[in-house]
Every structure is written in structure tokens, then in C-alpha cells.
């Protein structure tokens, strides 16, 4: 897909997203994550995103790992941690949106977070948070004491 395949609105959103990413130098809270990734909060499909961080919690890169269906995104730990290993990241934050708008973690959300937490210990890259995004705001596993 080249630039001519995008609408002007999509191109503007992409530029704003890049500008937003450069404005957030450090992630210190779930609010920072929401500010960085808010564009995904209104998507009609579920997006699973990783944010890799250096030792000072500065953003190295953010990546869409998987685009799911209306209410489901299937991810595998290797897809989540491969970019973090390539970035030589000290930490990682995972995030996904809930197109339904709900700000509650599902059983599947909790299970994948626990699994990724186990893998993070094995690979030596700290899983710092899992943030669920919606039009209504965000839900942070770290803030809720689940990480």
C-alpha cells in the first residue's frame, strides 16, 4: 500500500500519531500510554499494540502486533517479544482496545497478561503494564495491582 492509497483523513491521523509519539519522551503512567495510543481507542476492530522502552522508560518504538476481530485478538508471546528483543528493550508495555467500549478486563485479557508476564521473566524484559483502551478512557493492569 502506498501513500496514494490512504485518504487525507488517514494521512492526517498518521502524522498526528507520529507527532504525539515524539511529544511523549518517557512513559511514567498509564495516562501517558493512553495519550500515546489514544488513536486506537475508537477503532472498530481490536488492535494489540506493544510499546518498547529503554532503561529510562523512554519510548523506543510502538508497533501493532495484531489486528483482530470485533471482540478478539489472538497474540502469541513470540510476536510480542520479538520486537522488544530486536529493540534491546529493558521493558515493554502491551495494550489493546475494546471496540465495545467496556473498560473491564476479560478473562482472556487476564490470562494473556499472566502468560506474557511469565515470558517476560524468562527473556529478561520487564512487562510494565497492560493498558486497555476505549472511548471512555483506559484500564491499567498495573494501576489495579494485577501486574
Amino acid at each position: 500500500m502506498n501513500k496514494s492509497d490512504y485518504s487525507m483523513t488517514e494521512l492526517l491521523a498518521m502524522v498526528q500519531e507520529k507527532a504525539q509519539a515524539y511529544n511523549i519522551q518517557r512513559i511514567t503512567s498509564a495516562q501517558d500510554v493512553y495519550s500515546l495510543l489514544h488513536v486506537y481507542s475508537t477503532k472498530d476492530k481490536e488492535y494489540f499494540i506493544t510499546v518498547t522502552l529503554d532503561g529510562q522508560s523512554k519510548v523506543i518504538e510502538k508497533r501493532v502486533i495484531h489486528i483482530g476481530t470485533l471482540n478478539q485478538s489472538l497474540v502469541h508471546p513470540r510476536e510480542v517479544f520479538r520486537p522488544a528483543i530486536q529493540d534491546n528493550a529493558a521493558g515493554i508495555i502491551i495494550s489493546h482496545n475494546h471496540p465495545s467500549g467496556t473498560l473491564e478486563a476479560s478473562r482472556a485479557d487476564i490470562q494473556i497478561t499472566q502468560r506474557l508476564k511469565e515470558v517476560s521473566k524468562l527473556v529478561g524484559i520487564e512487562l510494565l503494564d497492560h493498558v486497555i483502551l476505549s472511548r471512555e478512557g483506559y484500564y491499567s493492569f498495573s494501576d489495579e495491582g494485577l501486574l
Side-chain angles (χ1 to χ4, degrees):
M1 187 177 267
N2 61 43
K3 289 182 182 179
S4 64
D5 293 332
Y6 292 103
S7 72
M8 186 58 84
T9 304
E10 290 171 321
L11 286 172
L12 180 59
M14 289 166 59
V15 168
Q16 289 173 335
E17 183 180 349
K18 280 289 186 193
Q20 183 78 24
Y22 289 113
N23 288 335
I24 297 176
Q25 296 297 321
R26 267 180 101 222
I27 299 291
T28 59
S29 68
Q31 178 62 51
D32 291 343
V33 176
Y34 185 74
S35 295
L36 179 68
L37 303 176
H38 76 279
V39 69
Y40 298 100
S41 66
T42 58
K43 299 288 187 184
D44 61 353
K45 291 184 179 176
E46 197 165 289
Y47 282 69
F48 192 95
I49 305 124
T50 62
V51 179
T52 54
L53 305 167
D54 69 11
Q56 297 177 338
S57 296
K58 291 183 181 176
V59 174
I60 299 170
E61 190 67 58
K62 65 179 175 143
R63 294 176 179 88
V64 174
I65 300 298
H66 189 269
I67 301 172
T69 61
L70 178 63
N71 62 358
Q72 186 177 26
S73 176
L74 304 173
V75 294
H76 193 277
R78 77 174 157 262
E79 296 167 342
V80 173
F81 283 97
R82 181 182 300 125
I85 292 166
Q86 291 170 338
D87 288 349
N88 199 27
I92 189 170
I93 294 171
I94 58 174
S95 182
H96 76 280
N97 64 311
H98 277 178
S100 66
T102 183
L103 280 176
E104 295 179 26
S106 69
R107 182 176 300 149
D109 294 339
I110 294 167
Q111 289 172 340
I112 191 64
T113 303
Q114 291 170 344
R115 185 168 183 206
L116 292 173
K117 183 68 175 177
E118 291 170 13
V119 173
S120 77
K121 290 175 185 176
L122 291 173
V123 298
I125 298 173
E126 188 175 3
L127 176 60
L128 299 166
D129 205 349
H130 181 173
V131 179
I132 298 172
L133 313 166
S134 88
R135 291 174 178 86
E136 305 302 317
Y138 63 89
Y139 176 94
S140 163
F141 279 66
S142 183
D143 289 354
E144 297 299 323
L146 298 173
L147 268 178

